Amino acid sequence: NPDSSQSNLARLKQEMDIFLAENNFLVNFQAFAKYHDFHYKMLESKPAFAFMPDWYLQQNKQVLRLQPLLRPMRNNRSTYHKVLLTSNGARVKLGDLLGKTIAMTSMGPATSDLLNTLLFSEYQFDPKKFNIIPTPKDSDALLALTVRQVDVALVSQDNLDKIGKINPRILQIVRPLAKSKPIPLPVICVGKDSVSKESIARLKKIFLNAKRSRGSTNLMEMLQIDAWHNYSH
């Protein structure tokens, strides 16, 4: 999940392994920091289960034969927002961004089209004319903006709030231009046709009951997830 604030992937793996072991579910968990590494692995070996951005599911569900199972909840919501930011003193307007540089986490090959859908459809921009600078994390996009390496940055509101609490000066340096439409939180999917119905049912039961599990507290906090629900369109 590139929009997660979690950067300590080694600890994330440790907490996930503890949670799965506590529930006697023998699955090897591997976290990925970069979109291309994750996508290559999905194409190469198709894991039994995968936790992925909803946009990745929509772009690849037919080719990879992905079946969504569970969606997380955060503060009673299954969606989040991104906010488009510019420097406080910059003369940048929302209707005049063509040719400007935009730092943001990748949304795959359809990043430009998704940008148009989420933010710019009313302006009838040609999304291919945006100069998108992909970053691994929101914090990288925000840093690029604060040091004036890019004209604007697109980051999740949750991450902006979190970074702002740690370093309030950040919020004085940037100003919002627009708020995106709701973006679905990532989903857990079945990635292989060969996974048994019993294994699928067991995984769903484990995650749906995660709040009652002693080993899930740290994991849920790291993922910024309050609960899991069955996936529905």
Side-chain angles (χ1 to χ4, degrees), residues 158-196:
D158 291 337
N159 285 341
L160 179 63
D161 294 341
K162 184 174 182 179
I163 294 171
K165 287 180 180 178
I166 298 171
N167 184 0
R169 176 163 166 71
I170 292 290
L171 301 181
Q172 299 172 2
I173 297 174
V174 302
R175 63 179 173 87
L177 287 173
K179 188 176 182 179
S180 77
K181 296 176 183 176
I183 303 171
L185 287 167
V187 294
I188 293 181
C189 299
V190 174
K192 274 187 178 178
D193 297 333
S194 60
V195 179
S196 69

Side-chain angles (χ1 to χ4, degrees), residues 84-108:
L84 189 69
L85 303 167
T86 190
S87 299
N88 205 9
R91 297 179 179 179
V92 177
K93 296 181 180 179
L94 189 59
D96 186 31
L97 289 177
L98 292 185
K100 304 293 186 183
T101 50
I102 300 178
M104 62 176 290
T105 57
S106 174
M107 288 185 164

Side-chain angles (χ1 to χ4, degrees), residues 98 116 119-127 130:
L98 292 185
N116 202 41
L119 276 166
F120 303 126
S121 56
E122 64 183 278
Y123 292 93
Q124 298 182 335
F125 288 156
D126 179 358
F130 288 116

